Amino acid sequence: MSLKKFSTTDLVVITMMAALGIAIKPVITPLVQIITGPLLIPGGTVAGGFYMLWLVLGYGLTGNKPGTALLIGLVQGIIVILQPFANHGAFSIISYAAPGLATELVYLFLKGPVSPAAAFAGGVAANLTGSFLVLLVVMRVNILRLPAVPFLLMFLTAVLAGGLGGVVAYGLLTRLRKFRAFGREQYEE
């Protein structure tokens, strides 16, 4: 992947999306856990929908340039490693980049968040990837031994929250197009 295909504006957008994704985490997570905890719903999978929307939004804001979501995830991983708290060491690079890579793979076929359904799919891919990585590596859960009901609850919650995050990203992208944010001609309808 070459950075030459990204303009300075694209790189600023990528950095902004990475920073917003990290900044929203400590605000959203406790709020979501207040609601999901008593209901025994996995809070991380619900909150993940809010973190992953920045991957989808960034992809759209750069004009659907391949590599955008992966770069956002890599920048997030690097930022998290540099923080003295809330990181999992070198695994943070993988845990943040993998959802970006999953979004990239979905958008190889769907050409970016060009519709609410495509944005939904990008959010689902990112959130499922992030949820499974945390479940397998950080929490060290053997999913083959996990009872069906908790597994399905986590899976369906991750799908719904990630998809809704993608749809929110599509809504934000549509609004930003109306305001002609960043002066981009590809926003012309």
Side-chain angles (χ1 to χ4, degrees), residues 55-65 68 113 173 177 186-187:
L55 298 172
V56 176
L57 180 60
Y59 201 97
L61 286 175
T62 61
N64 300 327
K65 288 185 181 170
T68 299
L173 186 59
R177 284 181 178 152
Q186 70 260 24
Y187 291 168

Side-chain angles (χ1 to χ4, degrees), residues 75-96:
V75 171
Q76 285 178 331
I78 291 167
I79 292 170
V80 167
I81 282 180
L82 296 175
Q83 294 177 352
F85 53 88
N87 86 50
H88 298 106
F91 179 69
S92 295
I93 294 279
I94 296 167
S95 68
Y96 281 87

Side-chain angles (χ1 to χ4, degrees), residues 37-54:
L39 300 173
L40 300 176
I41 296 171
T45 57
V46 173
F50 291 100
Y51 318 147
M52 304 304 174
L53 76 86
W54 305 105

Side-chain angles (χ1 to χ4, degrees), residues 24 36 50 59-60 69 81-82 88 123 144 146 154 160-161 171 176 181 185:
I24 198 170
T36 60
F50 291 100
Y59 201 97
I81 282 180
L82 296 175
H88 298 106
L144 299 176
L146 194 63
M154 189 277 304
L160 183 60
L176 290 170
E185 66 253 357

Side-chain angles (χ1 to χ4, degrees), residues 160-171:
L160 183 60
L164 289 176
V167 171
V168 168
Y170 181 80

Side-chain angles (χ1 to χ4, degrees), residues 60-147:
L61 286 175
T62 61
N64 300 327
K65 288 185 181 170
T68 299
L70 179 59
L71 276 176
I72 292 170
L74 285 171
V75 171
Q76 285 178 331
I78 291 167
I79 292 170
V80 167
I81 282 180
L82 296 175
Q83 294 177 352
F85 53 88
N87 86 50
H88 298 106
F91 179 69
S92 295
I93 294 279
I94 296 167
S95 68
Y96 281 87
L101 181 60
T103 304
E104 294 288 343
L105 293 174
V106 166
Y107 289 155
L108 273 176
F109 301 102
L110 299 180
K111 306 298 182 210
V114 294
S115 68
F120 186 93
V124 167
N127 202 29
L128 275 178
T129 303
S131 296
F132 276 107
L133 271 177
V134 168
L135 191 69
L136 293 171
V137 179
V138 176
M139 299 175 93
R140 297 185 181 161
V141 172
N142 182 347
I143 60 171
L144 299 176
R145 292 187 174 187
L146 194 63

